[in-house]
Amino acid sequence: MKAILYIEVPTPDTKVVRTWLQEQWHPEQGQKILTPDGIRLQFPRKTSNQSQAIPDPQLSIFVWAVQRTTYLKVFRWGEKPVPGETRIGKNLTAAIRSRFPQQYPQLPEIDLSNQSIFAALAPYYPKTVHFFQKMPKGEYDLNRVYWWEKRWRESVCHPQQPKQVIFSSPQADTFVKAKSQVPSYDLIYIGGALGVIHAAVMAQRGYRVLVVERLPFARMNREWNISRAEFQSLIDLGLFTEREFESSIACEYKDGFSKFFDRNNPPHLQAAVLHTPTVLNIAIDAEKLLKACGEKLRAAGGEIWDETEFIRAEIDEEQVTVELVDLPSGESKKAIAKLLMDAMGTASPIAWQLNGSHAFDSVCPTVGAVIADGFEPQVWDANYGDVLHSHGDISRGRQLIWELFPGADGELTIYLFHYHQVHPDNPGSLLEMYEDFFTILPEYRRCDLEKLVWKKPTFGYIPGHFSVNSRSRTVAFDRLLAIGDAASLQSPLVFTGFGSLIRNLERLTNLLDTAIKHDLLKAEHLNQIRAYQSNIAVTWLFSKGMMVPTGYTLPPQRINSMLNTFFGLLAEEPPEVANTFIKDKTDWLTFNRLALKAARKNPTLLWWIWEMAGTNDFLRWLGSYLSFTFDSLISWLLMGWFPGLLRQFQPQLEKHYPGLWLRLLSFSYALTAGIGRPPSPGFTGEEKFSAVEELAGKNRRTCEARRRSHR
């Protein structure tokens, strides 16, 4: 028996496909015989010797359903080819493509004036509505899912016309400045998830900070996982103590697995399970962490305005005037600051305005839920996590990937996502993904969905940007800086803006502190404050190879073959190699060694990526590779002496040439954090914390003097 054809039929209605195959498709040759799952094509032999008991050659064609789509295979019975079997396969494929074309989901227009979100969406997403009704705040959260998808689609489908929310004015708004009731701050953060973490650090350094959050504060639609080594940066900066960190841990698992479906891969592309016990093994109680940051922020003199929506901002030579609206009352509000921080994530209208049609190159539509109880004990051991897992091939133009992380008190947080090209014809749908999630979760982990105790949903759009170099994305404007997902500079593998922010928090904080102290708040200065890493930029092509381009049809097993090529190599390497690679710390030599091994293991890999990425993006990637190579060479030449020399000249440089000092400090970080290397030797432990405390006192006194002068 030999496989002749394997394709996906992009529809969840397998019965319709089977009926079409049995009743409407007419092959050019062969006798059609119906079977329970499809048909057989029999080819009677033309021979006069009837005594020979040689079976007639035949093709078996059958369909099956998994991952809310349909797959079809053709097998030949016998060793010798059936006459015309190749032509039969091509004709069948063409007929299926014509009868069952790829269709991209559209968001239904609904009217909530006289019906609930449940009633409005039930005809389109019945399982999603059913299980959101079982969640404590399901109606509120489903409204948010719809709102987020609608806002994302509007941004993607009108890339040339981003809504203008940032306005520049050469003169200060004297009316606002004169009104004593308009509060004044050093920093205003729009977005209270990642924003409040960074804001709390800056508040402890003595700056007057305001955090504006559209939702009730600390209400999260995602959970966060990290490792102990990465969280250490929050401890080093003095934001948390070791004891406080331990209290924020919801769960710590023993090992994490990465495994991709390989049943349809050739033997050399079937990979072992990759074990990563120190990757994302700490489940953070996100709401508790955010509340703790909020308390520290307020204790340092900061403020939080939640359930407040950003409308627009006007920037002049001296300040930023931010216009807001209090959502419960509808009342308009204003605040002014020296610097505006955009932490609104993928929905940020500021990011779209700054980058126009090139705001994001890719996105991961991500859905899931926190499940409190209901899994049978043999289904999953809470001491382990699924870092990355697929249980099937490409489904309706997407390679679906699961994540599973243990939480507090036996909870499980489960995500379903896929890497996706940002395209106006196919922006990516959260609601369609949720219908997939609730349909195929029992395929991924054996369970009865009706017995599960649903705690809350988790969802969002996680963006990605193809950075050729550190200047290929705009993250700043005069008196405006983006961080986190709004900056879209995170890893294309498993980390979101949270991981990128935490890993680069010291870098961002020290650079921002320097810029504010010396009033270096023009775009040319603020654009040097970014979490860019050239060793991450060069892996962007990897995520490009995990997307099915809009309008294209790939062999169903293609992306799993690519994933198994890379992760199979990592499984064969010492544990520290996989650990550094997935945590965005891989160096130039390791990257090239693994790339060459992958090419030897799977020689067609380069062609596959070229086919999926296209010539233009492949050439852009060569630019990012050359940038990574150059950065690594410069780091190798300078790391031994440049940071130490820079420290020696810091007092004079910073005092007399603050702009040059900021540029050199940014360059120094680029030699380390920018290519995934550990920071250069500096303050540690108590010395570092004492320095932060001393600096905070100076900043508080300086800011207070400025506020008195301003009044």
Side-chain angles (χ1 to χ4, degrees), residues 147-148 151 165-166 189-195 212-214 221 308-313 322 324 340-352 360 461 463 480-487:
W147 171 86
W148 204 336
R151 188 165 182 174
V165 293
I166 301 298
Y189 288 77
I190 310 295
L194 295 180
V212 177
E213 170 57 54
R214 185 178 185 275
N221 54 16
T308 302
E309 186 167 19
F310 168 78
I311 303 300
R312 54 175 278 165
V322 183
L324 311 160
L340 179 64
M341 302 291 290
D342 177 15
M344 286 186 281
T346 57
S348 169
I350 297 175
W352 283 94
F360 307 113
Y461 287 101
L480 168 66
L481 178 65
I483 61 172
D485 284 331

Side-chain angles (χ1 to χ4, degrees), residues 55 65 91 103 121 228 312 364 382 443 530 599 602 648 665:
N91 291 342
Q103 295 182 338
L121 293 182
R228 286 183 176 274
R312 54 175 278 165
C364 285
E443 297 173 5
R530 57 177 66 212
N602 184 4
Q648 290 181 6
L665 184 61

Side-chain angles (χ1 to χ4, degrees), residues 485-562:
D485 284 331
S488 187
L489 295 169
Q490 74 287 343
S491 165
L493 294 177
V494 294
F495 286 103
T496 65
F498 174 69
S500 176
L501 178 73
I502 298 304
R503 290 195 302 279
N504 289 279
L505 192 62
E506 178 182 352
R507 174 188 188 183
L508 295 174
T509 300
N510 290 339
L511 289 172
L512 182 60
D513 181 64
T514 300
I516 297 175
K517 280 195 305 181
H518 299 289
D519 201 30
L520 301 172
L521 302 181
K522 294 288 187 180
E524 61 180 297
H525 299 118
L526 295 176
N527 261 308
Q528 299 173 50
I529 306 172
R530 57 177 66 212
Y532 173 79
Q533 294 180 229
S534 59
N535 66 324
I536 296 177
V538 80
T539 61
W540 189 91
L541 198 65
F542 183 89
S543 64
K544 186 74 173 180
M546 295 166 68
M547 307 173 203
V548 181
T550 298
Y552 282 70
T553 301
L554 298 176
Q557 71 276 27
R558 169 70 58 83
I559 293 177
N560 276 323
S561 295
M562 297 175 65

Side-chain angles (χ1 to χ4, degrees), residues 154-424:
E154 289 172 350
S155 299
V156 173
C157 294
H158 304 286
Q160 302 302 325
Q161 305 169 24
K163 179 182 178 182
Q164 186 174 3
V165 293
I166 301 298
F167 298 85
S168 180
S169 172
Q171 298 291 331
D173 188 338
T174 54
F175 175 74
V176 171
K177 194 172 181 180
K179 288 174 71 69
S180 59
Q181 66 266 35
V182 177
S184 175
Y185 304 89
D186 298 306
L187 290 152
I188 295 179
Y189 288 77
I190 310 295
L194 295 180
V196 76
I197 299 174
H198 197 267
V201 174
M202 296 304 291
Q204 288 190 341
R205 291 202 170 195
Y207 295 105
R208 180 159 170 75
V209 177
L210 169 66
V211 173
V212 177
E213 170 57 54
R214 185 178 185 275
L215 304 175
F217 179 67
R219 173 70 177 169
M220 282 289 293
N221 54 16
R222 281 189 63 82
E223 296 297 295
W224 286 331
N225 280 70
I226 201 167
S227 67
R228 286 183 176 274
E230 290 166 315
F231 195 92
Q232 185 65 36
S233 63
L234 293 180
I235 298 173
D236 291 342
L237 285 168
L239 184 60
F240 286 92
T241 65
E242 291 279 0
R243 179 176 296 181
E244 288 171 332
F245 167 56
E246 295 295 330
S247 69
S248 70
I249 296 176
C251 182
E252 182 173 6
Y253 61 68
K254 294 180 180 178
D255 197 1
F257 311 133
S258 292
K259 182 71 181 79
F260 302 98
F261 184 68
D262 57 14
R263 182 63 183 86
N264 296 305
N265 294 167
H268 72 288
L269 296 183
Q270 294 179 354
V273 175
L274 174 63
H275 295 261
T276 50
T278 60
V279 172
L280 301 176
N281 60 309
I282 302 291
I284 297 294
D285 186 330
E287 294 187 4
K288 186 173 183 178
L289 180 76
L290 292 182
K291 288 178 180 177
C293 289
E295 292 171 0
K296 292 175 180 293
L297 173 74
R298 292 186 175 105
E303 298 180 36
I304 298 174
W305 294 356
D306 64 350
E307 297 188 83
T308 302
E309 186 167 19
F310 168 78
I311 303 300
R312 54 175 278 165
E314 186 164 314
I315 299 175
D316 58 51
E317 290 291 335
E318 299 181 14
Q319 63 189 25
V320 183
T321 303
V322 183
E323 296 184 15
L324 311 160
V325 61
D326 181 77
L327 294 177
S329 67
E331 177 186 353
S332 296
K333 304 171 72 172
K334 285 189 177 183
I336 60 176
K338 294 174 63 177
L339 181 64
L340 179 64
M341 302 291 290
D342 177 15
M344 286 186 281
T346 57
S348 169
I350 297 175
W352 283 94
Q353 180 181 333
L354 291 184
N355 292 278
S357 61
H358 202 58
F360 307 113
D361 291 292
S362 66
V363 70
C364 285
T366 304
V367 302
V370 179
I371 301 170
D373 197 9
F375 282 99
E376 297 296 331
Q378 65 270 25
V379 170
W380 194 257
D381 187 334
N383 289 308
Y384 302 93
D386 255 352
V387 178
L388 294 169
H389 178 94
S390 66
H391 79 277
D393 290 325
I394 293 172
S395 167
R396 305 200 313 282
R398 308 154 306 159
Q399 177 59 66
L400 300 176
I401 300 175
W402 295 91
E403 291 181 310
L404 181 153
F405 299 113
D409 302 322
E411 293 177 357
L412 291 178
T413 300
I414 302 178
Y415 300 107
L416 179 66
F417 71 96
H418 65 97
Y419 287 87
H420 187 72
Q421 175 195 37
V422 177
H423 195 284

Side-chain angles (χ1 to χ4, degrees), residues 229-230 503 535 580-581 583-587 675-677:
E230 290 166 315
R503 290 195 302 279
N535 66 324
T580 56
F581 186 84
K583 288 182 179 178
D584 300 336
K585 295 180 180 180
T586 191
D587 57 37
I675 58 172
R677 296 184 60 169

